[in-house]
Amino acid sequence: MGLPKTDIVKVITQEAVNEISDIAYEEKHEKGAVLFREGDSAKYFYILVEGKVLLTVGEAATSRYEVTQPGESFGWSSAVGRDFYSGTAECLVPTTVLKLDKLDLERVFDKHPRSGKVFYRLLAEALGQRWIDL
């Protein structure tokens, strides 16, 4: 399965891209499907293939962000060492995502440390921008 053309995929090694593609599972979800809830165990990292996902934080969902761009990632808690998701992800329309197990992703980056460094730097930049957007 190929990964969407994102900034991350453009700058990590092709070998790492291939290994990430090998561990990614494509999932299709209907409108209203909840991919994870705030407080759930953070086991997976997601990449949007198509559709739209609403991310909310807090019981009143006062912080909201829509994942709309193919290749945009979410479920970051799994990739940054948190045990639980800090928000909820709900599909606003029929949606397709790539789902990556955090332990499998860690193994890829243990094997390809330069690619891991670039991945986490770009992830930090995206997280910072998302907070600004909120």
Side-chain angles (χ1 to χ4, degrees), residues 2-11 14 17-18 21 47-49 69-72 98:
L3 295 176
K5 300 295 182 213
T6 65
D7 289 342
I8 291 171
V9 170
K10 292 176 189 173
V11 296
Q14 187 59 49
V17 169
N18 293 343
S21 293
I47 300 172
L48 183 69
V49 174
Q69 298 301 311
E72 196 170 357
L98 294 180

Side-chain angles (χ1 to χ4, degrees), residues 36-72:
F36 55 82
R37 295 189 186 282
E38 185 173 342
D40 285 352
S41 182
K43 295 180 182 179
Y44 302 102
F45 180 78
Y46 295 86
I47 300 172
L48 183 69
V49 174
E50 64 180 353
K52 189 185 294 188
V53 176
L54 176 64
L55 303 176
T56 57
V57 177
E59 285 184 33
T62 52
S63 295
R64 303 167 59 91
Y65 180 85
E66 289 185 12
V67 179
T68 59
Q69 298 301 311
E72 196 170 357

Side-chain angles (χ1 to χ4, degrees), residues 96-109:
T96 303
V97 297
L98 294 180
K99 184 176 179 180
L100 297 109
D101 181 280
K102 75 175 183 179
L103 297 177
D104 291 338
L105 190 59
E106 286 174 9
R107 280 190 278 276
V108 170
F109 291 136

Side-chain angles (χ1 to χ4, degrees), residues 92-130:
L92 295 176
V93 298
T95 298
T96 303
V97 297
L98 294 180
K99 184 176 179 180
L100 297 109
D101 181 280
K102 75 175 183 179
L103 297 177
D104 291 338
L105 190 59
E106 286 174 9
R107 280 190 278 276
V108 170
F109 291 136
D110 285 346
K111 227 173 125 177
H112 304 281
R114 181 194 160 282
S115 291
K117 178 182 175 183
V118 171
F119 172 84
Y120 286 109
R121 181 178 52 79
L122 291 175
L123 189 63
E125 288 174 9
L127 181 57
Q129 185 60 50
R130 193 170 291 171

